Amino acid sequence: MTDLPSAPPPGGQGADLDLRLVRYFTVVAEQLHFGRAAETLRIAQPSLSRQIRRLEKELGARLLDRTPQGSRLTEAGEVFLPHARALLRTAARAASQTRAAAEPSRLLVGYTSNLIVTPAVRELRRRYPDADVRALHLDWDEPRTALLDHRVDAVIARLPLSAAELEVTVLYEEPRVLVVPLDHRLVGKESVTLDDIADEPLPRVREDAAWNAFWRIDPRPDGSRAPDGPLVRALEDKFELIAAGQAVAIVPGGLGLDRLRPDLTTIPLHGVDPSHVVLATRADDRSRLLAAFRKAARALLTGGTA
């Protein structure tokens, strides 16, 4: 385990912070719930609680208050959180740049559901046969953190995506469509508008206002709010809710749902802006291999199939 020195805690004594504990804290701080954080980290909840207490002891400050509803950051926790994130990113950047110096021809490309990166990856391998070029599937909400944590070097994903600290290039557009179960009242219509689904609940995700605003079209152009549907985390859970008749959803037309689930269908949604597929990289990454991939992506990833 790599340790980095921290600033001295209020007590005046120096502390060597275990990066593993720092990462555990950031996940709990994001989830504000030890149970969900333990699931994300894939460790037992009692073990996670012990590790957080160990970190608090090292720092000499309580970082989290436990409540019946979950957890909340203390004032000390609020102060430590941005430093913890910066510490983890610095460590990841140091490791990534060290690997890059030892392996100057290595590139990991992340991509999200039903986005094809194969043509650009194959072109890069053809041009640089000695390079180690790989692709890695990411969940819909991982692209930004995967880049900033140096788990990947480039990402092909859909907007919305915060551009802070990133370089984001639009590759192509996809129409937005409505996905419904086969027995839905709108099945058979050539297209629908927002007026047709004014009272239809749409799934929501927790703590992602930009995602909810774009994919629920909330608020609507007339200022009305989209009806609240169930909270979801995984794409598959959303589709299961739709198939069960509990919600409808607005999705990118390139998702290929008709092929994935025979009990769902899509209907063109008119009067809304399209979604955009983008290439995102770290703003400070200027590697030769990444520049070559960026060029290949712009030329070859245009929304067609491999």
Side-chain angles (χ1 to χ4, degrees):
M1 177 63 61
T2 303
D3 293 345
L4 290 181
S6 73
Q13 300 297 317
D16 290 328
L17 292 183
D18 185 334
L19 289 184
R20 179 173 56 93
L21 304 185
V22 175
R23 177 171 175 262
Y24 286 176
F25 164 72
T26 61
V27 175
V28 176
E30 290 162 2
Q31 300 281 352
L32 292 179
H33 192 283
F34 273 78
R36 289 195 297 268
E39 290 179 7
T40 299
L41 293 164
R42 297 182 181 179
I43 63 174
Q45 184 173 336
S47 175
L48 177 60
S49 297
R50 287 195 298 271
Q51 302 302 336
I52 296 299
R53 286 196 296 270
R54 177 181 161 194
L55 177 63
E56 291 174 327
K57 184 176 180 181
E58 290 182 2
L59 290 170
R62 192 176 74 256
L63 303 174
L64 292 149
D65 283 332
R66 285 74 168 175
T67 72
Q69 292 75 33
S71 301
R72 64 172 177 264
L73 290 169
T74 64
E75 185 175 347
E78 295 278 6
V79 170
F80 183 59
L81 181 57
H83 295 294
R85 287 170 171 159
L87 185 63
L88 292 172
R89 287 175 183 168
T90 298
R93 185 177 300 115
S96 176
Q97 292 177 356
T98 300
R99 286 194 299 268
E103 304 176 54
S105 294
R106 182 175 182 270
L107 190 78
L108 188 55
V109 179
Y111 63 97
T112 56
S113 294
N114 272 46
L115 292 179
I116 295 172
V117 298
T118 312
V121 169
R122 291 185 66 176
E123 173 64 10
L124 207 62
R125 289 172 178 160
R126 185 189 67 79
R127 290 183 58 191
Y128 300 92
D130 295 329
D132 181 12
V133 182
R134 303 181 189 179
L136 175 70
H137 180 265
L138 301 172
D139 285 341
W140 64 270
D141 59 344
E142 286 190 293
R144 177 176 168 78
T145 55
L147 280 169
L148 294 181
D149 292 346
H150 288 248
R151 286 189 282 130
V152 296
D153 303 299
V155 163
I156 306 299
R158 294 180 174 91
L159 295 181
L161 177 67
S162 171
E165 301 179 70
L166 303 180
E167 181 174 330
V168 178
T169 303
V170 174
L171 297 177
Y172 58 90
E173 295 180 349
E174 291 178 319
R176 283 188 278 181
V177 300
L178 184 72
V179 55
V180 296
L182 291 180
D183 60 355
H184 194 273
R185 62 182 177 83
L186 295 174
V187 170
K189 293 179 68 73
E190 291 186 4
S191 64
V192 294
T193 66
L194 290 177
D195 288 341
D196 292 317
I197 58 170
D199 299 321
E200 295 278 359
L202 287 89
R204 298 168 291 145
V205 298
R206 191 183 301 276
E207 297 176 0
D208 195 329
W211 189 98
N212 284 326
F214 185 80
W215 288 110
R216 288 165 38 81
I217 312 183
D218 187 23
R220 301 290 163 80
D222 62 3
S224 63
R225 303 308 302 260
D228 281 346
L231 282 170
V232 296
R233 171 64 181 83
L235 203 59
E236 291 76 9
D237 291 336
K238 177 166 70 173
F239 297 153
E240 180 60 31
L241 286 168
I242 297 168
Q246 295 179 265
V248 301
I250 299 168
V251 301
L255 211 53
L257 283 179
D258 297 51
R259 299 190 303 272
L260 295 176
R261 288 199 58 144
D263 52 357
L264 300 178
T265 189
T266 57
I267 308 170
L269 182 60
H270 282 185
V272 300
D273 293 335
S275 65
H276 293 89
V277 174
V278 300
L279 163 66
T281 60
R282 290 181 293 275
D284 60 355
D285 196 331
R286 294 291 181 265
S287 77
R288 175 178 59 99
L289 201 59
L290 182 59
F293 179 77
R294 188 178 289 114
K295 183 177 180 180
R298 286 196 297 259
L300 299 172
L301 304 184
T302 58
T305 57

